[in-house]
Every structure is written in structure tokens, then in C-alpha cells.
């Protein structure tokens, strides 16, 4: 029996070479690479022997970023199952949707999710139980039993094309879809992340070899159940033998304390995490000299964010990564000097990823013209679970149609101008929300902003903005409009502003929930 190299099993076996290095840190708990291997292999055997898991079965995971999440994910894959991470923010109904949509054979949860799923028919393994287990559920440690040093994972034959994961998309534009990823998609992810890193080191004129030799400690500020947390961070960390610092929940003050305590070298999450760290009153109070970089993606990052990082975290390398659940996270990346030179670009595609900008008729558009961004490569999944209609619509002629409007410059740098579904069309003129939002962020009073279309009889749509001001700073709609006149054409300037005291509604991927905002402000 032997396994193919481009599979998770190969990664797991390889991770053992990092042996006694610490892999996962959570509060005062530490899991070395060897601990992780033994636990994952032990649990994988339990899944096969106690739960009858066979190749291709779905094993769902629904919990916070606990170390058990990592062990459960590795165990599911090592057992030959398809790992199905569910959004831990989901309600009972949504979790039940995830379980039935994926046809999960069992679900591995934490205490909070166990409560939410009490009464659910799917067998449950519960880590960090809060009280009584739901009937029929078993406790994680009890299932694991004795963890032996000589344990070997089950002998399941897997190849690169075998399915490995179902990650649900964020549900920003509709019902979350299950993105079915293969072992090849998964196995290329750490290499793509490494490539992006080494390219940015090389572009900065430094020696990639010295950077490759440094042990990285990453603070993960987003959930593992989204592609970014899992593929841009977890699998990449595992491949390189780095450390992964997990948080109970995102909290900027706590993040500062953890960076100091764990000597974190990189913070990875969504742009909101970076903003909140910069805005935190304790930023100057901690020794965060270990931090070499801040990277984010998953949602638009206005150029102002890069400027603030330059001012408040000097010498730190900022990176902006573009990716989707369907691209196994990273696909396009901007970092270091090229990011400073082109702060409004998401950068260059990964080595493995082809990019084209298409007209509505499917023709490739020349540089400078805006069209739909399409992607192709071993990081792109082949389709959605159980959704032939959505698969046929999104994967056309071998290309993933992203639903994002973009342009490419003469040097191949990609610029996201908007999500096609967000764009406001005012009197036949396209207004890209992301552009107006970025212009708003330049105003010193703005803490957060979202641009939406207001239905208009005459013009089709008008531009509106929902804004949150920074505490203690005042600005009126008139002042904001006057400010925008300096950078935007008149038709792009919001005619109406809504001022909000509360934070703008965002999903765990850092994306503003515009459907919520439209409902709240316009009743649509
Ligand atoms: P759904 O597909 O269910 O509507 P979603 O598209 O938000 O949800 P994800 O796969 O988490 O689900 O997000 C991918 C999208 O996030 C991209 O299509 C793009 O619109 C946006 N995005 C990701 N990275 C960036 C980035 N660096 N800059 C701008 N937008 C980004
Ligand atoms: Mg999407």
C-alpha cells in the first residue's frame, strides 16, 4: 500500500518531521506536530472502526477555533472521508441544513454546537462539553481513548482527484454553496502560499532562502471553517512546520497580548482585523516587535488601510490576498513593494493560476477594460456539492466565473472593481461600490462604510452610503459629499447617507452583509 504525494495523507506524514515543534497554541494549551499526528491518526482509526466511516463519507465539524478542530479535520481526511467544516455562527436550522445538504455520517462539535444540535439525528462527538451530552453523543476524549506513539492512520487508498473537503461559501450573495475540493486542491494550497511569500521576499530585494528558513508563528484571526483560515493558514503552517496561534474569538486587545506572548511573526485574517488592531488604544502598550507582517484578504481592503499600517506599524510588510472558497483560498496576491506601488491592486496571480477578464459574451478583454474575472488552475475546484445548476453556471469552459468585476494592467496586476451583484447602475452609468467606499475611507471621520443602490424611478438606481463615524469625530452628509467631490465624478457621489452607531453587519469572513443593510435602510 502506498499513497499518492498530492494528498492530505502525504502532508500529514510529512508533518511528523517537525516532531517536537509546537504546531497549535490555544490559551495555555500546546500541541506539537507529533501530538497532532498521533491524535489525528488515533481519531481516524476510531472514525473507521467505531463509526464505520469509509472513503468518501462526509464528516462534519462545527466548532470554534479549538485545537480539536484541527485534529478533527486531519482525522476526517486521514480516514478517507470528506471533511465538511460548518460555520460555527450558524443557527440550529442552518447547521441542520449543512448536515443534511452534505449528508454527514457524523458531526464533531464543541459544547455550544452540541446544545444547538441537541435532538439532531446525526451521531455527534463533543469536544469541550458544557454540561450533559445530548443523548447518543460521545465525548471527544472518550472516543479518542489511548493515544499511542506507534499509531498509524488507516490504510485508505487516496489519489489527488479524490474529494477532500466541502467548504460552504460565505453566503454573501445567496444561500451558501458547498465547494467540493479535491486532495490536489488541498495539497497545492501550502505551496501556493509559500510561492506568494517567497515572491514577495524576492520582490523586496531580499534573499528568499533566508526567509524560507525562518519559523513563522501565525496568529489566526478568522475562523478555520472558511477557506482562508484553513488553506491560507492551517495547511500552509502544517507544511512548513510553523506555529499556529488560535483565539477563542477575535478581539484586538487580546490579539496584541498574544502577539507579545507568543512572539507572533504574522497576523492573518480579514481587513477588519487589521483596522481594529490599528484603532486599538493599547497598540503602543505591547511589545509587538516580533510581528513582521500583517496579511488580509477575503474582502476589499481600501488603500487607506495600507497607509495606516505604514504609519502605525512601520517596517511591517502588508499583504492583500484575493481568493474564494472555490479557489481553495489564495489565487492572487499583492505584498511588499508592489503593494506599496499599487495599493489598489490585489496583485499578481499565483504561479499555478491562470487569469482572464471576460466580456459578457465570453471574449477575453484587453488590459484596462473591466469585465468578469475568471480563474483556472489546480487551486480551482471542479464544482459544488449537490448543485449541478450552480456548477454549470459558474464553471464554464474550464474557467471559474468569479462574479467579480476586474481589470488587469499592462504588467498583469489585477484590480477588483466590484462584485457584479453589488455594482450600482445609475442612469446606465456603472458605479463601483468598492471605489466609493475606498474614497470614503480617506475621510478622517470614517470608521466603516458600505455603499448600496437606492431604487430610483428615473435613473434605475441612485447611490447611497451607510457609514459609521469614528468615536468623538463629527461629519455631516454635506461635508462627506464635499470631500468626495475632490476624488469622484459627481454621478458616483452618494445622494443619501445613513449614519449608524452600531458596527456594520459583517459575516465571519469580514464581508459587509449588504442584503441586511438594504433591508434595514430601504426595507428591500
Ligand atoms: P457567496 O459566494 O456564497 O455569495 P462569498 O463569495 O462572499 O459568498 P467567499 O468565497 O468567502 O464567499 O468570498 C469570495 C469573494 O470575496 C470574492 O468573490 C470577492 O468578491 C471577495 N474577495 C476575496 N478576497 C478579496 C480581496 N482581496 N479584495 C476584494 N475582494 C475580495
Ligand atoms: Mg462567491
Amino acid at each position: 500500500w502506498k499513497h499518492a504525494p498530492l494528498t492530505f495523507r502525504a502532508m500529514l506524514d510529512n508533518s511528523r518531521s517537525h516532531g517536537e515543534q509546537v504546531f497549535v497554541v490555544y490559551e495555555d494549551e500546546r500541541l506539537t506536530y507529533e501530538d497532532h499526528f498521533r491524535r489525528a491518526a488515533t481519531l481516524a482509526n476510531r472514525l473507521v472502526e467505531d463509526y464505520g466511516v469509509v472513503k468518501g463519507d462526509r464528516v462534519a465539524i462545527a466548532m470554534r477555533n479549538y485545537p480539536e478542530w484541527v485534529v478533527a479535520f486531519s482525522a476526517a481526511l486521514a480516514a478517507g472521508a470528506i471533511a465538511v467544516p460548518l460555520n460555527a455562527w450558524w443557527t440550529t436550522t442552518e447547521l441542520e441544513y449543512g448536515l443534511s445538504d452534505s449528508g454527514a455520517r457524523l458531526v464533531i462539535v464543541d459544547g455550544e454546537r452540541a446544545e444547538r444540535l441537541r435532538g439532531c439525528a446525526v451521531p455527534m462527538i463533543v469536544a469541550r462539553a458544557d454540561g450533559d451530552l445530548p443523548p447518543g453523543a460521545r465525548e471527544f476524549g472518550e472516543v479518542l481513548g489511548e493515544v499511542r506513539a506507534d499509531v498509524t492512520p488507516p490504510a485508505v487508498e487516496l489519489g489527488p482527484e479524490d474529494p477532500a473537503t466541502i467548504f460552504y461559501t460565505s453566503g454573501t450573495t445567496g444561500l451558501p454553496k458547498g465547494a467540493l475540493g479535491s486532495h490536489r486542491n488541498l495539497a497545492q494550497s501550502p505551496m501556493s502560499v509559500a510561492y506568494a511569500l517567497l515572491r514577495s521576499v524576492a520582490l523586496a530585494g531580499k534573499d528568499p532562502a533566508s526567509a524560507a528558513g525562518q519559523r513563522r508563528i501565525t496568529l489566526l484571526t478568522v475562523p478555520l471553517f472558511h477557506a482562508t483560515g484553513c488553506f491560507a493558514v492551517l495547511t500552509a503552517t502544517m507544511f512548513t512546520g510553523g506555529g499556529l496561534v488560535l483565539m477563542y474569538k477575535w478581539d484586538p486587545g487580546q490579539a496584541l497580548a498574544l502577539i507579545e506572548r507568543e512572539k507572533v511573526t504574522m497576523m492573518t485574517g480579514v481587513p477588519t482585523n487589521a483596522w481594529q488592531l490599528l484603532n486599538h488604544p493599547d497598540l503602543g502598550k505591547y511589545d509587538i516587535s516580533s510581528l513582521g507582517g500583517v496579511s488580509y484578504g477575503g474582502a476589499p481592503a481600501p488603500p487607506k488601510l495600507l497607509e495606516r499600517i505604514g504609519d502605525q506599524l512601520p517596517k511591517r510588510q502588508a499583504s492583500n490576498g484575493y481568493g474564494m472558497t472555490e479557489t481553495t483560498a489564495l489565487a492572487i496576491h499583492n505584498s511588499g513593494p508592489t503593494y506599496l506601488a499599487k495599493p489598489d491592486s490585489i496583485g499578481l496571480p499565483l504561479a499555478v493560476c491562470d487569469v482572464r477578464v471576460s466580456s459578457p459574451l465570453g471574449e477575453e478583454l484587453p488590459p484596462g477594460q473591466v469585465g468578469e474575472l475568471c480563474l483556472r488552475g489546480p487551486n480551482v475546484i471542479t464544482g459544488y456539492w449537490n448543485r449541478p445548476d450552480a456548477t454549470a453556471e459558474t464553471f464554464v469552459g474550464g474557467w471559474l466565473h468569479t462574479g467579480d468585476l476586474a481589470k488587469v494592467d499592462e504588467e498583469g496586476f489585477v484590480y477588483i472593481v466590484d462584485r457584479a451583484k453589488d455594482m450600482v447602475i445609475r442612469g446606465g452609468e456603472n458605479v463601483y461600490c468598492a471605489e466609493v467606499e475606498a474614497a470614503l475611507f480617506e475621510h478622517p471621520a470614517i470608521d466603516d462604510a458600505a455603499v448600496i443602490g437606492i431604487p430610483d424611478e428615473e435613473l434605475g438606481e441612485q447611490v447611497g452610503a451607510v457609514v459609521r463615524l469614528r468615536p468623538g469625530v463629527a461629519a455631516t452628509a454635506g461635508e462627506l459629499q464635499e470631500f468626495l467631490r475632490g476624488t469622484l465624478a459627481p454621478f458616483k457621489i452618494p445622494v443619501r447617507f445613513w449614519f449608524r452607531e452600531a458596527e456594520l453587519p459583517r459575516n465571519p469572513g469580514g464581508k459587509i452583509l449588504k442584503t441586511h443593510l438594504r433591508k434595514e435602510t430601504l426595507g428591500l
Side-chain angles (χ1 to χ4, degrees):
W1 173 79
K2 71 177 182 40
H3 56 80
L6 278 169
T7 60
F8 179 78
R9 175 64 196 274
M11 272 182 68
L12 182 66
D13 288 346
N14 171 65
S15 76
R16 226 176 168 183
S17 63
H18 309 303
E20 293 312 311
Q21 296 270 31
V22 173
F23 177 19
V24 179
V25 176
Y26 174 70
E27 298 188 345
D28 50 15
E29 299 170 33
R30 302 250 173 308
L31 207 62
T32 66
Y33 276 90
E34 184 60 25
D35 292 335
H36 166 261
F37 175 87
R38 290 182 194 173
R39 278 169 210 233
T42 307
L43 183 60
N45 286 314
R46 295 278 71 75
L47 296 181
V48 171
E49 289 161 23
D50 298 6
Y51 289 87
V53 167
V54 295
K55 183 174 164 180
D57 276 352
R58 275 77 61 208
V59 171
I61 303 164
M63 56 173 112
R64 285 178 188 273
N65 283 3
Y66 289 130
E68 289 88 343
W69 195 103
V70 179
V71 173
F73 181 75
S74 299
L77 288 161
I82 304 176
V84 187
L86 300 179
N87 187 324
W89 292 27
W90 278 354
T91 60
T92 301
T93 322
E94 289 164 322
L95 287 169
E96 281 170 351
Y97 159 76
L99 292 177
S100 69
D101 181 65
S102 62
R105 174 177 276 274
L106 81 143
V107 58
I108 308 176
V109 296
D110 57 14
E112 289 165 277
R113 261 42 61 182
E115 278 316 307
R116 243 173 256 181
L117 284 170
R118 195 175 268 274
C120 153
V122 179
M124 213 185 281
I125 300 176
V126 188
R128 300 182 195 251
D130 291 334
D132 290 350
L133 295 182
R138 290 173 68 195
E139 203 271 319
F140 191 89
E142 185 250 316
V143 173
L144 202 59
E146 190 195 354
V147 178
R148 296 169 56 103
D150 60 355
V151 62
T152 50
V156 191
E157 291 226 10
L158 286 167
E161 293 349 300
D162 283 319
T165 53
I166 297 173
F167 272 79
Y168 284 89
T169 61
S170 299
T172 314
T173 58
L175 251 196
K177 301 179 284 277
L180 182 64
S182 65
H183 279 268
R184 183 188 300 280
N185 294 143
L186 182 148
Q188 69 73 46
S189 69
M191 298 175 217
S192 287
V193 174
Y195 170 82
L197 276 168
L198 295 182
R199 180 172 64 187
S200 64
V201 171
L203 285 171
K206 294 190 200 131
D207 176 11
S210 67
Q214 277 166 17
R215 187 168 140 83
R216 289 158 59 87
I217 313 286
T218 306
L219 176 65
L220 179 65
T221 60
V222 286
L224 285 162
F225 58 74
H226 279 322
T228 307
C230 186
F231 297 119
V233 182
L234 171 64
T235 54
T237 300
M238 189 171 162
F239 186 69
T240 54
L244 178 65
V245 181
L246 301 177
M247 300 178 82
Y248 177 75
K249 68 175 186 145
W250 162 247
D251 175 289
Q254 183 85 46
L256 288 165
L258 277 172
I259 295 170
E260 177 179 283
R261 193 186 86 181
E262 301 296 336
K263 301 201 170 32
V264 165
T265 61
M266 172 67 83
M267 182 174 111
T268 305
V270 292
T272 315
N273 302 138
W275 279 115
Q276 293 182 348
L277 195 84
L278 296 170
N279 286 341
H280 200 275
D282 292 344
L283 181 62
K285 294 192 191 139
Y286 288 94
D287 173 9
I288 56 165
S289 53
S290 59
L291 191 71
V294 180
S295 72
Y296 40 79
K304 186 75 184 176
L305 177 59
L306 180 65
E307 193 187 311
R308 288 274 306 275
I309 293 174
D311 289 346
Q312 292 178 264
L313 294 173
K315 301 207 185 85
R316 271 34 169 257
Q317 180 147 307
S319 315
N320 182 4
Y322 168 93
M324 302 169 70
T325 315
E326 294 89 334
T327 62
T328 325
L330 203 58
I332 305 174
H333 185 252
N334 202 5
S335 180
T338 64
Y339 190 19
L340 289 169
K342 303 185 186 213
D344 47 349
S345 168
I346 53 165
L348 296 167
L350 296 174
V352 295
C353 189
D354 293 327
V355 164
R356 72 181 254 169
V357 175
S358 274
S359 75
L361 296 173
E363 295 146 344
E364 182 166 5
L365 294 171
Q369 286 195 28
V370 175
E372 185 174 18
L373 180 67
C374 298
L375 303 169
R376 185 173 70 180
N379 56 336
V380 176
I381 61 157
T382 48
Y384 299 112
W385 176 260
N386 254 347
R387 296 284 302 270
D389 50 339
T391 301
E393 210 174 280
T394 310
F395 299 86
V396 186
W399 290 90
L400 160 68
H401 288 245
T402 64
D404 290 316
L405 298 171
K407 62 184 181 189
V408 177
D409 71 13
E410 296 286 349
E411 290 178 291
F413 282 75
V414 184
Y415 300 75
I416 299 290
V417 299
D418 212 349
R419 283 185 165 237
K421 288 194 176 164
D422 271 358
M423 184 176 71
V424 177
I425 306 178
R426 181 193 176 278
E429 208 68 62
N430 293 349
V431 180
Y432 302 123
C433 300
E435 182 191 7
V436 182
E437 287 157 7
L440 274 167
F441 272 107
E442 296 293 325
H443 192 281
I446 294 291
D447 183 54
D448 208 352
V451 168
I452 53 175
I454 310 170
D456 184 274
E457 231 169 62
E458 208 177 305
L459 292 164
E461 278 182 303
Q462 285 269 31
V463 183
V466 183
V467 295
R468 182 177 191 239
L469 301 181
R470 294 174 74 174
V473 196
T476 62
E479 281 161 11
L480 293 174
Q481 285 162 332
E482 187 53 38
F483 175 80
L484 293 177
R485 272 193 266 279
T487 45
L488 297 179
F491 71 93
K492 299 179 183 170
I493 295 174
V495 293
R496 188 159 169 204
F497 282 85
W498 287 268
F499 291 87
R500 257 177 86 100
E501 291 215 345
E503 281 184 17
L504 265 55
R506 286 178 188 273
N507 62 22
K511 284 186 259 275
I512 296 179
L513 294 167
K514 293 203 178 178
T515 41
H516 282 41
L517 281 182
R518 283 188 205 103
K519 202 175 260 163
E520 270 178 38
T521 50
L522 301 161
L524 297 174

